[in-house]
Amino acid sequence: FVQRRKTSYTFADALDWMYIRDPNHGSYALSGDSFVLSGTSRTLDSMYPTFIGIRQTGFCGRVECRVEVSGGEGGITLYMDENHHYDIAVRKTDNGEYEALLRLNVGDMRYVRSTHRVNGCVSIGITMNNYVYSFTVRDADGVIDMGSAQTRYLSTEVACGFTGVMIGLYAQGEDSRSEFRDFLCEYTKL
């Protein structure tokens, strides 16, 4: 038996995807080419968010996924626990427009680092190395640099715990729906 290290993950890798705690399975519609998550009032800061993710298994790489929301908020989170996570997402505002945002949560600090108006369906990107996560959003108008955050604030040395960081898709907001397509997590160095 030889264990092989995987260098890329997609929706087709069904056995690698996992939930947090005890999920409401009615909030998830999963197929080989898309995941549709139905959000609730529970956010990533709560114990039972609408979340499905994979483990971050390398330091250097990239994550990409197309996201379309019909209400509420949906995106990708780099998740250590409910108090330590970085979220890049798109949400529908009260006036019906769409906005991309980068939110950084470290302990009891909650900070929206940047927001930018976007055109509906977007592609979210995260580039990672040993020190920094960098976040982008691409819509019909081009690529938007949303900012970066240091990896160390999601580490076990800061956040405690033992499971490491999860790369997760999430939806939040009562009666919201987020559709995720073309997910790719690819490591460039192991």
Side-chain angles (χ1 to χ4, degrees), residues 81-117:
D81 61 27
E82 61 273 5
N83 295 310
H84 300 87
H85 51 93
Y86 299 156
D87 317 323
I88 183 163
V90 62
R91 64 182 170 196
K92 191 171 185 179
T93 64
D94 292 337
N95 62 6
E97 294 181 338
Y98 292 91
E99 175 180 67
L101 69 109
L102 174 59
R103 181 186 306 109
L104 309 176
N105 292 359
V106 178
D108 61 356
M109 294 181 290
R110 308 282 189 262
Y111 176 61
V112 174
R113 170 101 191 261
S114 61
T115 60
H116 196 281
R117 200 168 84 195

PDB file of all heavy atoms in Angstrom, residues 81-117:
ATOM      1  N   ASP A  81     -12.204  27.866  13.488  1.00  0.00           N
ATOM      2  CA  ASP A  81     -13.346  27.620  14.360  1.00  0.00           C
ATOM      3  C   ASP A  81     -14.265  28.836  14.277  1.00  0.00           C
ATOM      4  O   ASP A  81     -14.011  29.753  13.480  1.00  0.00           O
ATOM      5  CB  ASP A  81     -12.919  27.316  15.807  1.00  0.00           C
ATOM      6  CG  ASP A  81     -12.163  28.448  16.486  1.00  0.00           C
ATOM      7  OD1 ASP A  81     -12.363  29.635  16.130  1.00  0.00           O
ATOM      8  OD2 ASP A  81     -11.365  28.171  17.397  1.00  0.00           O
ATOM      9  N   GLU A  82     -15.337  28.833  15.079  1.00  0.00           N
ATOM     10  CA  GLU A  82     -16.311  29.920  14.976  1.00  0.00           C
ATOM     11  C   GLU A  82     -15.758  31.279  15.394  1.00  0.00           C
ATOM     12  O   GLU A  82     -16.358  32.308  15.094  1.00  0.00           O
ATOM     13  CB  GLU A  82     -17.586  29.598  15.769  1.00  0.00           C
ATOM     14  CG  GLU A  82     -17.393  29.402  17.243  1.00  0.00           C
ATOM     15  CD  GLU A  82     -17.017  27.973  17.634  1.00  0.00           C
ATOM     16  OE1 GLU A  82     -16.807  27.110  16.753  1.00  0.00           O
ATOM     17  OE2 GLU A  82     -16.906  27.727  18.848  1.00  0.00           O
ATOM     18  N   ASN A  83     -14.595  31.311  16.024  1.00  0.00           N
ATOM     19  CA  ASN A  83     -13.969  32.578  16.420  1.00  0.00           C
ATOM     20  C   ASN A  83     -12.776  32.970  15.555  1.00  0.00           C
ATOM     21  O   ASN A  83     -12.257  34.078  15.707  1.00  0.00           O
ATOM     22  CB  ASN A  83     -13.514  32.504  17.883  1.00  0.00           C
ATOM     23  CG  ASN A  83     -14.679  32.367  18.820  1.00  0.00           C
ATOM     24  OD1 ASN A  83     -15.641  33.123  18.740  1.00  0.00           O
ATOM     25  ND2 ASN A  83     -14.626  31.381  19.701  1.00  0.00           N
ATOM     26  N   HIS A  84     -12.323  32.090  14.697  1.00  0.00           N
ATOM     27  CA  HIS A  84     -11.133  32.345  13.884  1.00  0.00           C
ATOM     28  C   HIS A  84     -11.387  31.890  12.451  1.00  0.00           C
ATOM     29  O   HIS A  84     -11.296  30.696  12.154  1.00  0.00           O
ATOM     30  CB  HIS A  84      -9.918  31.597  14.464  1.00  0.00           C
ATOM     31  CG  HIS A  84      -9.593  32.004  15.861  1.00  0.00           C
ATOM     32  ND1 HIS A  84     -10.191  31.414  16.947  1.00  0.00           N
ATOM     33  CD2 HIS A  84      -8.740  32.942  16.342  1.00  0.00           C
ATOM     34  CE1 HIS A  84      -9.718  31.977  18.053  1.00  0.00           C
ATOM     35  NE2 HIS A  84      -8.838  32.906  17.712  1.00  0.00           N
ATOM     36  N   HIS A  85     -11.723  32.828  11.577  1.00  0.00           N
ATOM     37  CA  HIS A  85     -11.951  32.500  10.162  1.00  0.00           C
ATOM     38  C   HIS A  85     -11.863  33.754   9.316  1.00  0.00           C
ATOM     39  O   HIS A  85     -12.149  34.859   9.770  1.00  0.00           O
ATOM     40  CB  HIS A  85     -13.293  31.785   9.951  1.00  0.00           C
ATOM     41  CG  HIS A  85     -14.485  32.458  10.561  1.00  0.00           C
ATOM     42  ND1 HIS A  85     -15.276  33.346   9.860  1.00  0.00           N
ATOM     43  CD2 HIS A  85     -15.029  32.362  11.795  1.00  0.00           C
ATOM     44  CE1 HIS A  85     -16.248  33.771  10.639  1.00  0.00           C
ATOM     45  NE2 HIS A  85     -16.126  33.195  11.822  1.00  0.00           N
ATOM     46  N   TYR A  86     -11.424  33.558   8.073  1.00  0.00           N
ATOM     47  CA  TYR A  86     -11.388  34.616   7.063  1.00  0.00           C
ATOM     48  C   TYR A  86     -12.410  34.245   5.992  1.00  0.00           C
ATOM     49  O   TYR A  86     -12.386  33.131   5.473  1.00  0.00           O
ATOM     50  CB  TYR A  86     -10.009  34.713   6.404  1.00  0.00           C
ATOM     51  CG  TYR A  86      -8.853  35.033   7.323  1.00  0.00           C
ATOM     52  CD1 TYR A  86      -7.558  34.660   6.972  1.00  0.00           C
ATOM     53  CD2 TYR A  86      -9.015  35.717   8.526  1.00  0.00           C
ATOM     54  CE1 TYR A  86      -6.471  34.958   7.781  1.00  0.00           C
ATOM     55  CE2 TYR A  86      -7.931  36.013   9.342  1.00  0.00           C
ATOM     56  CZ  TYR A  86      -6.664  35.636   8.968  1.00  0.00           C
ATOM     57  OH  TYR A  86      -5.583  35.928   9.766  1.00  0.00           O
ATOM     58  N   ASP A  87     -13.292  35.186   5.644  1.00  0.00           N
ATOM     59  CA  ASP A  87     -14.381  34.919   4.715  1.00  0.00           C
ATOM     60  C   ASP A  87     -14.314  35.863   3.523  1.00  0.00           C
ATOM     61  O   ASP A  87     -14.221  37.078   3.713  1.00  0.00           O
ATOM     62  CB  ASP A  87     -15.740  35.126   5.399  1.00  0.00           C
ATOM     63  CG  ASP A  87     -15.800  34.545   6.798  1.00  0.00           C
ATOM     64  OD1 ASP A  87     -15.213  33.471   7.010  1.00  0.00           O
ATOM     65  OD2 ASP A  87     -16.423  35.171   7.676  1.00  0.00           O
ATOM     66  N   ILE A  88     -14.380  35.318   2.336  1.00  0.00           N
ATOM     67  CA  ILE A  88     -14.542  36.131   1.133  1.00  0.00           C
ATOM     68  C   ILE A  88     -15.846  35.681   0.500  1.00  0.00           C
ATOM     69  O   ILE A  88     -16.070  34.485   0.295  1.00  0.00           O
ATOM     70  CB  ILE A  88     -13.340  36.041   0.173  1.00  0.00           C
ATOM     71  CG1 ILE A  88     -13.577  36.972  -1.006  1.00  0.00           C
ATOM     72  CG2 ILE A  88     -13.025  34.616  -0.213  1.00  0.00           C
ATOM     73  CD1 ILE A  88     -12.335  37.293  -1.800  1.00  0.00           C
ATOM     74  N   ALA A  89     -16.723  36.648   0.233  1.00  0.00           N
ATOM     75  CA  ALA A  89     -18.093  36.280  -0.136  1.00  0.00           C
ATOM     76  C   ALA A  89     -18.720  37.328  -1.034  1.00  0.00           C
ATOM     77  O   ALA A  89     -18.187  38.412  -1.231  1.00  0.00           O
ATOM     78  CB  ALA A  89     -18.927  36.126   1.133  1.00  0.00           C
ATOM     79  N   VAL A  90     -19.892  36.961  -1.531  1.00  0.00           N
ATOM     80  CA  VAL A  90     -20.754  37.895  -2.243  1.00  0.00           C
ATOM     81  C   VAL A  90     -22.103  37.876  -1.519  1.00  0.00           C
ATOM     82  O   VAL A  90     -22.534  36.835  -1.027  1.00  0.00           O
ATOM     83  CB  VAL A  90     -20.881  37.543  -3.746  1.00  0.00           C
ATOM     84  CG1 VAL A  90     -21.513  36.189  -3.948  1.00  0.00           C
ATOM     85  CG2 VAL A  90     -21.633  38.611  -4.511  1.00  0.00           C
ATOM     86  N   ARG A  91     -22.702  39.055  -1.396  1.00  0.00           N
ATOM     87  CA  ARG A  91     -24.006  39.129  -0.746  1.00  0.00           C
ATOM     88  C   ARG A  91     -24.910  40.084  -1.515  1.00  0.00           C
ATOM     89  O   ARG A  91     -24.441  40.993  -2.198  1.00  0.00           O
ATOM     90  CB  ARG A  91     -23.879  39.578   0.706  1.00  0.00           C
ATOM     91  CG  ARG A  91     -23.344  40.980   0.889  1.00  0.00           C
ATOM     92  CD  ARG A  91     -23.204  41.319   2.349  1.00  0.00           C
ATOM     93  NE  ARG A  91     -22.479  42.570   2.532  1.00  0.00           N
ATOM     94  CZ  ARG A  91     -21.946  42.960   3.670  1.00  0.00           C
ATOM     95  NH1 ARG A  91     -22.035  42.186   4.728  1.00  0.00           N
ATOM     96  NH2 ARG A  91     -21.313  44.106   3.758  1.00  0.00           N
ATOM     97  N   LYS A  92     -26.190  39.809  -1.370  1.00  0.00           N
ATOM     98  CA  LYS A  92     -27.183  40.674  -1.990  1.00  0.00           C
ATOM     99  C   LYS A  92     -27.586  41.718  -0.957  1.00  0.00           C
ATOM    100  O   LYS A  92     -27.981  41.382   0.157  1.00  0.00           O
ATOM    101  CB  LYS A  92     -28.396  39.854  -2.438  1.00  0.00           C
ATOM    102  CG  LYS A  92     -29.341  40.618  -3.322  1.00  0.00           C
ATOM    103  CD  LYS A  92     -30.383  39.697  -3.911  1.00  0.00           C
ATOM    104  CE  LYS A  92     -31.256  40.457  -4.894  1.00  0.00           C
ATOM    105  NZ  LYS A  92     -32.260  39.549  -5.481  1.00  0.00           N
ATOM    106  N   THR A  93     -27.460  42.991  -1.329  1.00  0.00           N
ATOM    107  CA  THR A  93     -27.765  44.070  -0.399  1.00  0.00           C
ATOM    108  C   THR A  93     -29.267  44.342  -0.366  1.00  0.00           C
ATOM    109  O   THR A  93     -30.028  43.836  -1.192  1.00  0.00           O
ATOM    110  CB  THR A  93     -27.004  45.355  -0.788  1.00  0.00           C
ATOM    111  OG1 THR A  93     -27.472  45.792  -2.071  1.00  0.00           O
ATOM    112  CG2 THR A  93     -25.506  45.113  -0.836  1.00  0.00           C
ATOM    113  N   ASP A  94     -29.682  45.163   0.576  1.00  0.00           N
ATOM    114  CA  ASP A  94     -31.102  45.498   0.732  1.00  0.00           C
ATOM    115  C   ASP A  94     -31.683  46.178  -0.507  1.00  0.00           C
ATOM    116  O   ASP A  94     -32.876  46.063  -0.774  1.00  0.00           O
ATOM    117  CB  ASP A  94     -31.314  46.392   1.952  1.00  0.00           C
ATOM    118  CG  ASP A  94     -31.055  45.652   3.251  1.00  0.00           C
ATOM    119  OD1 ASP A  94     -31.141  44.401   3.253  1.00  0.00           O
ATOM    120  OD2 ASP A  94     -30.762  46.316   4.266  1.00  0.00           O
ATOM    121  N   ASN A  95     -30.854  46.890  -1.277  1.00  0.00           N
ATOM    122  CA  ASN A  95     -31.354  47.565  -2.474  1.00  0.00           C
ATOM    123  C   ASN A  95     -31.251  46.696  -3.727  1.00  0.00           C
ATOM    124  O   ASN A  95     -31.433  47.184  -4.840  1.00  0.00           O
ATOM    125  CB  ASN A  95     -30.658  48.913  -2.686  1.00  0.00           C
ATOM    126  CG  ASN A  95     -29.166  48.771  -2.914  1.00  0.00           C
ATOM    127  OD1 ASN A  95     -28.648  47.665  -3.019  1.00  0.00           O
ATOM    128  ND2 ASN A  95     -28.476  49.895  -2.986  1.00  0.00           N
ATOM    129  N   GLY A  96     -30.941  45.391  -3.559  1.00  0.00           N
ATOM    130  CA  GLY A  96     -30.937  44.455  -4.676  1.00  0.00           C
ATOM    131  C   GLY A  96     -29.637  44.368  -5.446  1.00  0.00           C
ATOM    132  O   GLY A  96     -29.539  43.609  -6.412  1.00  0.00           O
ATOM    133  N   GLU A  97     -28.620  45.118  -5.038  1.00  0.00           N
ATOM    134  CA  GLU A  97     -27.315  45.045  -5.695  1.00  0.00           C
ATOM    135  C   GLU A  97     -26.472  43.963  -5.027  1.00  0.00           C
ATOM    136  O   GLU A  97     -26.809  43.467  -3.955  1.00  0.00           O
ATOM    137  CB  GLU A  97     -26.612  46.401  -5.617  1.00  0.00           C
ATOM    138  CG  GLU A  97     -27.334  47.480  -6.406  1.00  0.00           C
ATOM    139  CD  GLU A  97     -26.608  48.811  -6.346  1.00  0.00           C
ATOM    140  OE1 GLU A  97     -25.820  49.040  -5.408  1.00  0.00           O
ATOM    141  OE2 GLU A  97     -26.846  49.628  -7.249  1.00  0.00           O
ATOM    142  N   TYR A  98     -25.362  43.623  -5.680  1.00  0.00           N
ATOM    143  CA  TYR A  98     -24.467  42.605  -5.145  1.00  0.00           C
ATOM    144  C   TYR A  98     -23.165  43.254  -4.710  1.00  0.00           C
ATOM    145  O   TYR A  98     -22.671  44.174  -5.357  1.00  0.00           O
ATOM    146  CB  TYR A  98     -24.200  41.516  -6.183  1.00  0.00           C
ATOM    147  CG  TYR A  98     -25.431  40.700  -6.470  1.00  0.00           C
ATOM    148  CD1 TYR A  98     -26.297  41.061  -7.500  1.00  0.00           C
ATOM    149  CD2 TYR A  98     -25.747  39.603  -5.687  1.00  0.00           C
ATOM    150  CE1 TYR A  98     -27.448  40.328  -7.752  1.00  0.00           C
ATOM    151  CE2 TYR A  98     -26.894  38.861  -5.936  1.00  0.00           C
ATOM    152  CZ  TYR A  98     -27.735  39.226  -6.968  1.00  0.00           C
ATOM    153  OH  TYR A  98     -28.868  38.505  -7.205  1.00  0.00           O
ATOM    154  N   GLU A  99     -22.614  42.722  -3.630  1.00  0.00           N
ATOM    155  CA  GLU A  99     -21.405  43.280  -3.042  1.00  0.00           C
ATOM    156  C   GLU A  99     -20.484  42.136  -2.643  1.00  0.00           C
ATOM    157  O   GLU A  99     -20.924  41.164  -2.023  1.00  0.00           O
ATOM    158  CB  GLU A  99     -21.827  44.094  -1.817  1.00  0.00           C
ATOM    159  CG  GLU A  99     -20.723  44.655  -0.994  1.00  0.00           C
ATOM    160  CD  GLU A  99     -21.284  45.434   0.191  1.00  0.00           C
ATOM    161  OE1 GLU A  99     -21.885  44.822   1.091  1.00  0.00           O
ATOM    162  OE2 GLU A  99     -21.107  46.666   0.191  1.00  0.00           O
ATOM    163  N   ALA A 100     -19.208  42.246  -3.004  1.00  0.00           N
ATOM    164  CA  ALA A 100     -18.195  41.301  -2.527  1.00  0.00           C
ATOM    165  C   ALA A 100     -17.608  41.866  -1.242  1.00  0.00           C
ATOM    166  O   ALA A 100     -17.499  43.087  -1.085  1.00  0.00           O
ATOM    167  CB  ALA A 100     -17.104  41.116  -3.573  1.00  0.00           C
ATOM    168  N   LEU A 101     -17.231  40.979  -0.335  1.00  0.00           N
ATOM    169  CA  LEU A 101     -16.638  41.449   0.917  1.00  0.00           C
ATOM    170  C   LEU A 101     -15.565  40.490   1.389  1.00  0.00           C
ATOM    171  O   LEU A 101     -15.591  39.291   1.079  1.00  0.00           O
ATOM    172  CB  LEU A 101     -17.713  41.606   1.997  1.00  0.00           C
ATOM    173  CG  LEU A 101     -18.350  40.322   2.521  1.00  0.00           C
ATOM    174  CD1 LEU A 101     -17.878  40.049   3.931  1.00  0.00           C
ATOM    175  CD2 LEU A 101     -19.838  40.438   2.476  1.00  0.00           C
ATOM    176  N   LEU A 102     -14.615  41.044   2.118  1.00  0.00           N
ATOM    177  CA  LEU A 102     -13.589  40.258   2.811  1.00  0.00           C
ATOM    178  C   LEU A 102     -13.737  40.563   4.292  1.00  0.00           C
ATOM    179  O   LEU A 102     -13.609  41.709   4.711  1.00  0.00           O
ATOM    180  CB  LEU A 102     -12.182  40.627   2.330  1.00  0.00           C
ATOM    181  CG  LEU A 102     -11.034  39.975   3.100  1.00  0.00           C
ATOM    182  CD1 LEU A 102     -11.111  38.453   3.042  1.00  0.00           C
ATOM    183  CD2 LEU A 102      -9.698  40.467   2.592  1.00  0.00           C
ATOM    184  N   ARG A 103     -14.057  39.508   5.076  1.00  0.00           N
ATOM    185  CA  ARG A 103     -14.249  39.645   6.517  1.00  0.00           C
ATOM    186  C   ARG A 103     -13.167  38.835   7.230  1.00  0.00           C
ATOM    187  O   ARG A 103     -12.937  37.661   6.891  1.00  0.00           O
ATOM    188  CB  ARG A 103     -15.630  39.125   6.911  1.00  0.00           C
ATOM    189  CG  ARG A 103     -15.942  39.245   8.386  1.00  0.00           C
ATOM    190  CD  ARG A 103     -17.265  38.592   8.791  1.00  0.00           C
ATOM    191  NE  ARG A 103     -18.388  39.056   8.013  1.00  0.00           N
ATOM    192  CZ  ARG A 103     -19.015  38.315   7.098  1.00  0.00           C
ATOM    193  NH1 ARG A 103     -18.619  37.087   6.827  1.00  0.00           N
ATOM    194  NH2 ARG A 103     -20.044  38.792   6.448  1.00  0.00           N
ATOM    195  N   LEU A 104     -12.548  39.437   8.232  1.00  0.00           N
ATOM    196  CA  LEU A 104     -11.510  38.773   9.021  1.00  0.00           C
ATOM    197  C   LEU A 104     -11.993  38.670  10.466  1.00  0.00           C
ATOM    198  O   LEU A 104     -12.320  39.684  11.084  1.00  0.00           O
ATOM    199  CB  LEU A 104     -10.204  39.576   8.970  1.00  0.00           C
ATOM    200  CG  LEU A 104      -9.707  39.965   7.576  1.00  0.00           C
ATOM    201  CD1 LEU A 104      -8.458  40.834   7.682  1.00  0.00           C
ATOM    202  CD2 LEU A 104      -9.457  38.748   6.724  1.00  0.00           C
ATOM    203  N   ASN A 105     -12.039  37.453  10.994  1.00  0.00           N
ATOM    204  CA  ASN A 105     -12.460  37.220  12.375  1.00  0.00           C
ATOM    205  C   ASN A 105     -11.328  36.536  13.114  1.00  0.00           C
ATOM    206  O   ASN A 105     -10.943  35.416  12.765  1.00  0.00           O
ATOM    207  CB  ASN A 105     -13.695  36.320  12.429  1.00  0.00           C
ATOM    208  CG  ASN A 105     -14.926  36.978  11.876  1.00  0.00           C
ATOM    209  OD1 ASN A 105     -14.898  38.121  11.449  1.00  0.00           O
ATOM    210  ND2 ASN A 105     -16.026  36.255  11.895  1.00  0.00           N
ATOM    211  N   VAL A 106     -10.803  37.210  14.128  1.00  0.00           N
ATOM    212  CA  VAL A 106      -9.729  36.656  14.945  1.00  0.00           C
ATOM    213  C   VAL A 106     -10.107  36.888  16.401  1.00  0.00           C
ATOM    214  O   VAL A 106     -10.119  38.042  16.868  1.00  0.00           O
ATOM    215  CB  VAL A 106      -8.363  37.303  14.629  1.00  0.00           C
ATOM    216  CG1 VAL A 106      -7.281  36.729  15.523  1.00  0.00           C
ATOM    217  CG2 VAL A 106      -8.011  37.119  13.164  1.00  0.00           C
ATOM    218  N   GLY A 107     -10.444  35.811  17.110  1.00  0.00           N
ATOM    219  CA  GLY A 107     -10.889  35.946  18.491  1.00  0.00           C
ATOM    220  C   GLY A 107     -12.157  36.773  18.546  1.00  0.00           C
ATOM    221  O   GLY A 107     -13.129  36.497  17.847  1.00  0.00           O
ATOM    222  N   ASP A 108     -12.141  37.826  19.366  1.00  0.00           N
ATOM    223  CA  ASP A 108     -13.332  38.675  19.467  1.00  0.00           C
ATOM    224  C   ASP A 108     -13.273  39.886  18.538  1.00  0.00           C
ATOM    225  O   ASP A 108     -14.123  40.768  18.608  1.00  0.00           O
ATOM    226  CB  ASP A 108     -13.561  39.122  20.914  1.00  0.00           C
ATOM    227  CG  ASP A 108     -12.409  39.936  21.472  1.00  0.00           C
ATOM    228  OD1 ASP A 108     -11.390  40.110  20.778  1.00  0.00           O
ATOM    229  OD2 ASP A 108     -12.533  40.409  22.619  1.00  0.00           O
ATOM    230  N   MET A 109     -12.305  39.923  17.622  1.00  0.00           N
ATOM    231  CA  MET A 109     -12.219  41.004  16.636  1.00  0.00           C
ATOM    232  C   MET A 109     -12.914  40.586  15.353  1.00  0.00           C
ATOM    233  O   MET A 109     -12.600  39.549  14.777  1.00  0.00           O
ATOM    234  CB  MET A 109     -10.753  41.356  16.343  1.00  0.00           C
ATOM    235  CG  MET A 109     -10.033  41.954  17.519  1.00  0.00           C
ATOM    236  SD  MET A 109      -8.334  42.387  17.124  1.00  0.00           S
ATOM    237  CE  MET A 109      -7.586  40.784  16.957  1.00  0.00           C
ATOM    238  N   ARG A 110     -13.883  41.377  14.910  1.00  0.00           N
ATOM    239  CA  ARG A 110     -14.620  41.142  13.667  1.00  0.00           C
ATOM    240  C   ARG A 110     -14.407  42.368  12.787  1.00  0.00           C
ATOM    241  O   ARG A 110     -14.757  43.482  13.178  1.00  0.00           O
ATOM    242  CB  ARG A 110     -16.117  40.968  13.928  1.00  0.00           C
ATOM    243  CG  ARG A 110     -16.469  39.946  14.988  1.00  0.00           C
ATOM    244  CD  ARG A 110     -16.351  38.542  14.433  1.00  0.00           C
ATOM    245  NE  ARG A 110     -16.877  37.525  15.315  1.00  0.00           N
ATOM    246  CZ  ARG A 110     -16.128  36.793  16.131  1.00  0.00           C
ATOM    247  NH1 ARG A 110     -14.838  36.993  16.206  1.00  0.00           N
ATOM    248  NH2 ARG A 110     -16.666  35.852  16.870  1.00  0.00           N
ATOM    249  N   TYR A 111     -13.851  42.159  11.605  1.00  0.00           N
ATOM    250  CA  TYR A 111     -13.455  43.295  10.775  1.00  0.00           C
ATOM    251  C   TYR A 111     -13.770  43.018   9.310  1.00  0.00           C
ATOM    252  O   TYR A 111     -13.310  42.017   8.759  1.00  0.00           O
ATOM    253  CB  TYR A 111     -11.953  43.547  10.953  1.00  0.00           C
ATOM    254  CG  TYR A 111     -11.365  44.622  10.103  1.00  0.00           C
ATOM    255  CD1 TYR A 111     -11.799  45.933  10.198  1.00  0.00           C
ATOM    256  CD2 TYR A 111     -10.353  44.328   9.200  1.00  0.00           C
ATOM    257  CE1 TYR A 111     -11.247  46.932   9.409  1.00  0.00           C
ATOM    258  CE2 TYR A 111      -9.785  45.324   8.410  1.00  0.00           C
ATOM    259  CZ  TYR A 111     -10.235  46.617   8.521  1.00  0.00           C
ATOM    260  OH  TYR A 111      -9.692  47.598   7.744  1.00  0.00           O
ATOM    261  N   VAL A 112     -14.577  43.877   8.685  1.00  0.00           N
ATOM    262  CA  VAL A 112     -14.789  43.786   7.248  1.00  0.00           C
ATOM    263  C   VAL A 112     -13.690  44.611   6.605  1.00  0.00           C
ATOM    264  O   VAL A 112     -13.670  45.840   6.713  1.00  0.00           O
ATOM    265  CB  VAL A 112     -16.187  44.275   6.833  1.00  0.00           C
ATOM    266  CG1 VAL A 112     -16.325  44.294   5.315  1.00  0.00           C
ATOM    267  CG2 VAL A 112     -17.256  43.390   7.447  1.00  0.00           C
ATOM    268  N   ARG A 113     -12.744  43.936   5.990  1.00  0.00           N
ATOM    269  CA  ARG A 113     -11.543  44.583   5.445  1.00  0.00           C
ATOM    270  C   ARG A 113     -11.846  45.385   4.188  1.00  0.00           C
ATOM    271  O   ARG A 113     -11.320  46.462   3.987  1.00  0.00           O
ATOM    272  CB  ARG A 113     -10.505  43.503   5.145  1.00  0.00           C
ATOM    273  CG  ARG A 113      -9.310  43.955   4.357  1.00  0.00           C
ATOM    274  CD  ARG A 113      -8.128  44.183   5.259  1.00  0.00           C
ATOM    275  NE  ARG A 113      -7.074  44.852   4.548  1.00  0.00           N
ATOM    276  CZ  ARG A 113      -6.028  44.264   4.021  1.00  0.00           C
ATOM    277  NH1 ARG A 113      -5.885  42.971   4.120  1.00  0.00           N
ATOM    278  NH2 ARG A 113      -5.109  44.964   3.414  1.00  0.00           N
ATOM    279  N   SER A 114     -12.695  44.831   3.306  1.00  0.00           N
ATOM    280  CA  SER A 114     -13.022  45.557   2.083  1.00  0.00           C
ATOM    281  C   SER A 114     -14.361  45.092   1.532  1.00  0.00           C
ATOM    282  O   SER A 114     -14.784  43.969   1.777  1.00  0.00           O
ATOM    283  CB  SER A 114     -11.920  45.386   1.031  1.00  0.00           C
ATOM    284  OG  SER A 114     -11.767  44.030   0.683  1.00  0.00           O
ATOM    285  N   THR A 115     -15.017  45.987   0.801  1.00  0.00           N
ATOM    286  CA  THR A 115     -16.238  45.665   0.078  1.00  0.00           C
ATOM    287  C   THR A 115     -16.126  46.281  -1.313  1.00  0.00           C
ATOM    288  O   THR A 115     -15.413  47.275  -1.506  1.00  0.00           O
ATOM    289  CB  THR A 115     -17.503  46.221   0.773  1.00  0.00           C
ATOM    290  OG1 THR A 115     -17.393  47.645   0.853  1.00  0.00           O
ATOM    291  CG2 THR A 115     -17.684  45.632   2.157  1.00  0.00           C
ATOM    292  N   HIS A 116     -16.814  45.687  -2.264  1.00  0.00           N
ATOM    293  CA  HIS A 116     -16.788  46.200  -3.632  1.00  0.00           C
ATOM    294  C   HIS A 116     -18.061  45.753  -4.334  1.00  0.00           C
ATOM    295  O   HIS A 116     -18.433  44.588  -4.254  1.00  0.00           O
ATOM    296  CB  HIS A 116     -15.561  45.657  -4.372  1.00  0.00           C
ATOM    297  CG  HIS A 116     -15.246  46.389  -5.620  1.00  0.00           C
ATOM    298  ND1 HIS A 116     -15.914  46.181  -6.797  1.00  0.00           N
ATOM    299  CD2 HIS A 116     -14.344  47.361  -5.867  1.00  0.00           C
ATOM    300  CE1 HIS A 116     -15.413  46.966  -7.728  1.00  0.00           C
ATOM    301  NE2 HIS A 116     -14.469  47.700  -7.188  1.00  0.00           N
ATOM    302  N   ARG A 117     -18.716  46.679  -5.030  1.00  0.00           N
ATOM    303  CA  ARG A 117     -19.919  46.316  -5.773  1.00  0.00           C
ATOM    304  C   ARG A 117     -19.530  45.436  -6.958  1.00  0.00           C
ATOM    305  O   ARG A 117     -18.564  45.726  -7.658  1.00  0.00           O
ATOM    306  CB  ARG A 117     -20.646  47.564  -6.249  1.00  0.00           C
ATOM    307  CG  ARG A 117     -22.091  47.265  -6.582  1.00  0.00           C
ATOM    308  CD  ARG A 117     -22.896  48.490  -6.767  1.00  0.00           C
ATOM    309  NE  ARG A 117     -22.689  48.929  -8.140  1.00  0.00           N
ATOM    310  CZ  ARG A 117     -23.011  50.111  -8.600  1.00  0.00           C
ATOM    311  NH1 ARG A 117     -23.527  51.005  -7.795  1.00  0.00           N
ATOM    312  NH2 ARG A 117     -22.815  50.418  -9.846  1.00  0.00           N
TER     313      ARG A 117
END
